[in-house]
Amino acid sequence: MTDQVDRRADTTRLHILRAASRQFARKSYSLVSLDDILSDAEVTKGAMYFHFRSKHALALAIIEHRFALAHSSIDELLALKLSGLETLIDITYLIAVDDIGDESARAALNLLESIGRTNGLQATVLGNWMTTFAMIARRATNEGDIGEHREPEGVARLLV
């Protein structure tokens, strides 16, 4: 019985996250109301507040969930041990494809821009991307695919 309740709660949480992602992918944080999300998810305010303390907490959950998925995808890509330049191209391609085709990715990027500055989340996420891209760019430089006169941090900043 408890497993069934837990599964139902997980399903409801996921339903809310998907509905909120759809809303935030299309409109900015300030233009999305809780009523928009609840209507889209077809859940009550009680269900929403059971899983998320506020609209802001829901938005942060979308960002954190999406960037955890992105981190996993990048780890898988790094495990392929491609050249540095191929890795940079593939990561950039993954980000572009997700941005175009995945509402949760689009929502996370929108939210990172609109609310990510308030608690330093944007700086943390972009800083992590910069560090990862610079490491890969450094490898591409060592492999001769990026000119030695290019700073890996500058390449990373351009990509981010």
Side-chain angles (χ1 to χ4, degrees):
M1 182 75 166
T2 303
D3 287 342
Q4 186 178 12
V5 171
D6 289 345
R7 272 195 308 274
R8 226 181 350 218
D10 289 344
T11 300
T12 300
R13 184 179 193 281
L14 186 58
H15 220 66
I16 295 166
L17 283 169
R18 285 182 181 152
S21 291
R22 278 191 296 275
Q23 294 296 318
F24 291 128
R26 295 181 184 121
K27 296 186 278 187
S28 69
Y29 177 82
S30 62
L31 295 177
V32 174
S33 71
L34 274 181
D35 288 337
D36 295 332
I37 295 166
L38 297 174
S39 175
D40 191 338
E42 298 178 344
V43 299
T44 65
K45 278 189 181 179
M48 162 49 199
Y49 286 120
F50 176 79
H51 294 283
F52 306 100
R53 295 171 47 136
S54 64
K55 179 174 109 173
H56 190 263
L58 173 56
L60 290 176
I62 291 168
I63 293 170
E64 290 166 3
H65 174 73
R66 185 61 211 155
F67 287 108
L69 292 175
H71 186 70
S72 177
S73 293
I74 289 171
D75 285 347
E76 288 175 21
L77 187 58
L78 291 173
L80 296 176
K81 302 209 184 286
L82 301 171
S83 74
L85 185 59
E86 288 173 311
T87 303
L88 286 174
I89 291 168
D90 286 356
I91 288 173
T92 305
Y93 176 78
L94 282 174
I95 292 168
V97 167
D98 281 350
D99 184 34
I100 293 168
D102 185 327
E103 286 178 322
S104 71
R106 163 73 10 221
L109 290 170
N110 287 349
L111 291 167
L112 189 62
E113 180 62 28
S114 62
I115 68 165
R117 295 177 189 178
T118 57
N119 60 359
L121 184 61
Q122 183 185 58
T124 299
V125 169
L126 296 182
N128 288 339
W129 283 7
M130 292 275 292
T131 300
T132 300
F133 282 19
M135 173 195 70
I136 299 167
R138 194 168 290 107
R139 190 171 77 205
T141 301
N142 292 339
E143 294 167 348
D145 289 330
I146 294 178
E148 291 180 14
H149 61 284
R150 302 284 180 212
E151 292 289 324
E153 291 75 16
V155 171
R157 194 171 21 265
L158 173 69
L159 293 173
V160 171

